[in-house]
Amino acid sequence: MISGLYSAATAMDVAAMKHEASAQNLANAHMPGFRRRIVTQAQFGASMDNALDKMDMSPLPGTAVGSGSEGVVKLDFSEGPLKPTGRNLDFALQGDGFFVVEGPTGPLYTRNGAFQVNEDGDLMTVDQLPVRGVNGTIALPPDTPLHAVMVDSEGRFTANGREFGQLKTVQFADNSILNPVGASLFQAPDNITPEISDSVVKQGFVEQGNVSYMNELVNIMVASRQYEAAQRVLRSIDEAIEKHVNN
């Protein structure tokens, strides 16, 4: 019975993680470059079956749960849809890759290409982090109007016929090694060196978060039912233990 108690409690934890991940996805759906959080699982159904078997019970109709006893939150790096903005400092990437920005302790990587310039003309993220170019940071020439800034598919900046910088884009052999820093920034381990990306730069677009509102709402409903099912099993085991002790 005690092992069944732990199995049911673990099932509740996983369901709560799934609910939280979907809620976070919905909250950041409009964030350019956001990568949805998913909960991967192993043996959830086995744990629930184990808890039910110890009580000689079967799942209630409509409360069957999926697989995975221990939940792990991972990132889905599939591409999101591109949204045209018309802003000359908005950029999206087609293909695998990331923009590189200067973080407080080293390079950070992002798919959020909604950039701006500071008072010195330096290209910055919305978090005021400098955007890295192939040859260092990118700065607009003095007195250059934004409407004159043009960027080609390889990320080269030109204004009035003069080239003045190129976006640095990189890619990783395995994106799963990246750790999130905030909503749309990622950090790589110190021993990992990215490769140059061959992704295509699209000026005047941003990549939206790869979140489906409908799917996340369904996931929240399913997670709630899974939580309730596990809670009922936990309560039944608790009552059985109480009866056993009293007898």
Side-chain angles (χ1 to χ4, degrees), residues 91-106:
F91 306 100
L93 293 176
Q94 285 186 320
D96 188 21
F98 299 87
F99 300 109
V100 185
V101 302
E102 293 280 2
T105 59

Side-chain angles (χ1 to χ4, degrees), residues 22-33:
S22 290
Q24 187 176 7
N25 291 340
L26 287 173
N28 291 280
H30 286 296
M31 172 67 70

Side-chain angles (χ1 to χ4, degrees), residues 24-83:
Q24 187 176 7
N25 291 340
L26 287 173
N28 291 280
H30 286 296
M31 172 67 70
F34 177 77
R35 300 289 81 133
R36 65 186 287 262
R37 275 60 172 165
I38 57 176
V39 178
T40 60
Q41 306 161 257
Q43 300 178 355
F44 185 93
S47 290
M48 283 295 293
D49 290 342
N50 182 48
L52 294 170
D53 288 342
K54 292 180 184 301
M55 294 299 300
D56 193 24
M57 299 168 61
S58 60
L60 296 175
T63 61
V65 292
S67 60
S69 67
E70 295 185 359
V72 178
V73 179
K74 295 187 177 182
L75 300 173
D76 174 9
F77 282 97
S78 60
E79 292 185 41
L82 301 190
K83 176 183 177 181

Side-chain angles (χ1 to χ4, degrees), residues 9-20:
T10 302
M12 290 175 63
D13 287 341
V14 173
M17 289 176 62
K18 293 172 65 177
H19 191 285
E20 182 179 353

Side-chain angles (χ1 to χ4, degrees), residues 155-178:
R156 287 188 291 260
F157 283 73
T158 58
N160 302 318
R162 174 190 171 192
E163 184 175 333
F164 60 89
Q166 182 177 1
L167 288 167
K168 183 176 182 179
T169 59
V170 300
Q171 63 186 28
F172 297 87
D174 181 9
N175 288 335
S176 67
I177 57 94
L178 297 174

